[in-house]
């Protein structure tokens, strides 16, 4: 898939998540992330009223690496331009998760699930974010579960 369309951000994200990558392969994928982010920034500059471009940038960075603050800003802008878009709340939740803000990740994913009640993917992600938040809560010993 990467050979067929190296600009497909979902493919780049999937490749980024592959376990046991060689340093060379990882560097190649990080390069593709940077290239895709730059292309999306150009698209935003050319068509600043396009909510999809802001969301695409946030989705890419929120699921890989880069400037999470810029991703958050872009995700919020996508929702400003197109409120009540369940998929955009899903993206926002991923960005919050990447930033380590589990409460906001759950809050935004809950909104996504309300707007997209038939999406099993969004519901599973909500369950995942809730589980991760629970694991971070301190126990009676003051340590998070799993630490």
């Amino acid at each position: 898939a990467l050979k067929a369309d190296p600009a497909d951000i979902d493919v780049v994200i999937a490749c980024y998540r592959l376990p046991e990558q060689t340093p060379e392969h990882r560097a190649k994928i990080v390069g593709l992330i940077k290239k895709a982010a730059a292309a999306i920034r150009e698209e935003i500059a050319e068509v600043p009223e396009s909510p999809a471009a802001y969301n695409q940038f946030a989705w890419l960075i929120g699921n890989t690496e880069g400037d999470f603050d810029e991703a958050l800003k872009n995700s919020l802008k996508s929702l400003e331009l197109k409120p009540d878009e369940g998929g955009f709340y899903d993206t926002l939740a991923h960005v919050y998760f990447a930033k380590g803000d589990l409460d906001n990740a759950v809050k935004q994913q809950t909104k996504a699930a309300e707007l997209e009640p038939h999406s099993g993917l969004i519901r599973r992600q909500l369950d995942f974010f809730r589980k991760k938040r629970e694991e971070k809560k301190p126990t009676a010993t003051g340590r998070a579960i799993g630490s």
Side-chain angles (χ1 to χ4, degrees):
L2 196 58
K3 285 181 183 177
D5 188 2
D8 183 325
I9 65 170
D10 286 319
V11 172
V12 173
I13 291 166
C15 289
Y16 179 82
R17 292 178 175 169
L18 288 172
E20 302 176 24
Q21 296 180 47
T22 65
E24 295 79 18
H25 187 261
R26 182 60 154 205
K28 175 183 176 182
I29 298 305
V30 169
L32 291 173
I33 292 166
K34 290 178 181 178
K35 185 175 179 181
I40 299 168
R41 281 188 194 100
E42 287 179 21
E43 183 181 346
I44 289 169
E46 291 172 12
V47 189
E49 67 281 354
S50 170
Y54 292 99
N55 186 68
Q56 286 282 59
F57 182 90
W59 182 252
L60 173 64
I61 300 304
N63 283 286
T64 59
E65 62 183 59
D67 186 341
F68 295 134
D69 290 330
E70 183 182 9
L72 178 60
K73 182 182 99 180
N74 282 311
S75 187
L76 292 168
K77 181 67 175 179
S78 74
L79 283 161
E80 177 186 314
L81 293 169
K82 191 168 184 180
D84 297 326
E85 178 66 36
F88 289 4
Y89 280 96
D90 176 55
T91 297
L92 181 57
H94 279 81
V95 172
Y96 276 124
F97 184 80
K99 288 177 63 70
D101 185 344
L102 302 181
D103 288 334
N104 271 318
V106 169
K107 179 181 177 183
Q108 301 307 326
Q109 195 69 21
T110 299
K111 178 75 173 174
E114 289 168 0
L115 292 168
E116 302 283 343
H118 302 295
S119 173
L121 227 91
I122 287 175
R123 172 62 58 191
R124 283 190 298 279
Q125 197 64 45
L126 176 57
D127 293 342
F128 174 78
F129 289 156
R130 284 178 174 158
K131 179 181 177 212
K132 290 298 183 183
R133 184 176 64 178
E134 284 302 310
E135 290 173 359
K136 287 285 186 184
K137 285 187 179 178
T139 62
T141 64
R143 293 176 35 179
I145 297 171
S147 55

